[in-house]
Amino acid sequence: MDIVVAGSHGLIGTELLERLRERGDTVRRLVRRPPQAAHEIFWDPDEDALDPRALEGADAVVNFAGAGVGDHRWTTEYKRTILESRTRTTGLIARTLAHLDAPPPVLLQGTAVGYYGDRGAEVLTETSGPGTGFLARVVTEWEAATRPAQDAGVRVAHLRTGIVMAPDGGALGRMLPLLRWGVGGRLGSGRQYWSWITLRDHVSAVLHLLGSDVHGPVNLTGPEPATNAEVTRALAEALHRPAALAVPSVALKVALGEFASDVLGSQRALPRVLEASGFTFEHPDLASAAEWVVSG
């Protein structure tokens, strides 16, 4: 396949590019600087700049572009950056596809389980409605930005990603070193559900969805969501370290500001659509996921 990827420098995008190339696909990357290779395509979402001809002939577009949610404190300015970095990039791709006579037939659009908001222990599937709060609003507007592509007949899947577990970086980037040193533990009460998925399974799911007929929301999460305390304990056991310490909620709120509400929020999302499409997880349970993470 000929795949165009946006947001290729992040944790997921980097792994996706490697896996696509391993299986023999042609991969072209959207970049915001002057292209330095034939496989690079210049774009500037802030200026609404993307040459439609660059997407002609592609079999699919995969978009994971967007500013990091946990990279900065959530000031008013950075919250605007979080939102606009998603809606502008997604909207530009969707409008560009819509204006092509024969657009790529598939757009896999990365979004997030933050769509559901803080829902406690409620079981959430792709048919569950949106929650409340900043991230729920962001994801709602983010997914809506794909409408031009959908109206043009492109198969659009919204990849609602959960906590991505990886040996280096991602959601566990700050937690794993502490656990390795034996000074880590649960965050807040630890009762909040984390809809986790390993990086390996996440990218495998993306590859699977490129060739399926799935459209609409897809929870990219493992089949066994667990509480933060359970995830922490599984990682500590795989490392043969204690996890007796805890970070109080008040400390998280002081350190992270409004972003702490996301860290302490709870989404118990199940991958019903992904499983129904025939996808098989390499790491379906928390124990195997933790072993894979710590062995990397």
Side-chain angles (χ1 to χ4, degrees):
M1 299 180 72
D2 181 349
I3 313 295
V4 176
V5 181
S8 61
H9 291 91
L11 177 75
I12 297 171
T14 299
E15 179 72 11
L16 175 62
L17 258 62
E18 182 177 339
R19 298 272 298 279
L20 286 169
R21 288 167 176 160
E22 281 179 357
R23 73 175 200 173
D25 294 309
T26 297
V27 184
R28 293 183 285 153
R29 303 165 60 190
L30 295 181
V31 298
R32 299 182 188 232
R33 50 166 173 72
Q36 299 174 353
H39 65 269
E40 294 184 338
I41 302 167
F42 173 76
W43 74 327
D44 186 347
D46 293 333
E47 298 296 329
D48 215 33
L50 174 58
D51 185 352
R53 294 170 298 179
L55 303 185
E56 289 179 341
D59 295 302
V61 177
V62 182
N63 181 23
F64 287 116
V69 172
D71 293 355
H72 301 275
R73 289 182 70 88
W74 283 6
T75 62
T76 299
E77 181 178 355
Y78 195 68
K79 286 169 71 174
R80 185 180 304 113
T81 296
I82 290 172
L83 174 62
E84 293 182 353
S85 68
R86 287 159 170 75
T87 56
R88 284 182 178 176
T89 53
T90 302
L92 176 55
I93 289 172
R95 291 191 302 274
T96 302
L97 295 180
H99 288 144
L100 291 173
D101 291 334
V106 180
L107 169 60
L108 300 186
Q109 174 59 54
T111 65
V113 294
Y115 170 86
Y116 302 110
D118 183 1
R119 304 283 276 270
E122 178 185 355
V123 174
L124 303 167
T125 70
E126 289 84 357
T127 61
S128 301
T132 59
F134 172 65
L135 285 183
R137 179 171 68 86
V138 166
V139 179
T140 299
E141 295 188 29
W142 194 4
E143 294 184 353
T146 65
R147 176 57 61 183
Q150 296 177 68
D151 290 343
V154 176
R155 176 173 68 85
V156 177
H158 299 127
L159 312 184
R160 292 178 180 168
T161 298
I163 299 290
V164 178
M165 298 175 63
D168 184 26
L172 303 181
R174 299 176 185 176
M175 177 185 291
L176 272 178
L178 295 176
L179 290 171
R180 291 184 191 278
W181 298 333
V183 294
R186 59 179 170 78
L187 303 179
S189 70
R191 292 192 294 270
Q192 66 272 29
Y193 273 89
W194 275 15
S195 296
W196 58 269
I197 187 171
T198 63
L199 178 61
R200 180 76 184 175
D201 277 337
H202 187 288
V203 173
S204 293
V206 173
L207 300 180
H208 169 78
L209 291 168
L210 282 170
S212 75
D213 60 356
V214 172
H215 62 90
V218 186
N219 290 339
L220 257 62
T221 62
E224 296 184 7
T227 65
N228 167 259
E230 290 168 339
V231 172
T232 303
R233 183 164 58 250
L235 290 168
E237 289 176 354
L239 288 165
H240 306 291
R241 295 288 189 274
L245 300 180
V247 181
S249 298
V250 65
L252 283 170
K253 292 175 182 177
V254 170
L256 303 179
E258 190 177 346
F259 177 55
S261 64
D262 184 56
V263 174
L264 297 170
S266 180
Q267 290 103 26
R268 191 180 184 181
L270 298 178
R272 292 278 172 79
V273 170
L274 188 59
E275 290 182 314
S277 72
F279 180 74
T280 301
F281 288 88
E282 185 175 339
H283 307 117
D285 57 82
L286 192 53
S288 64
E291 288 292 343
W292 178 79
V293 167
V294 303
S295 64

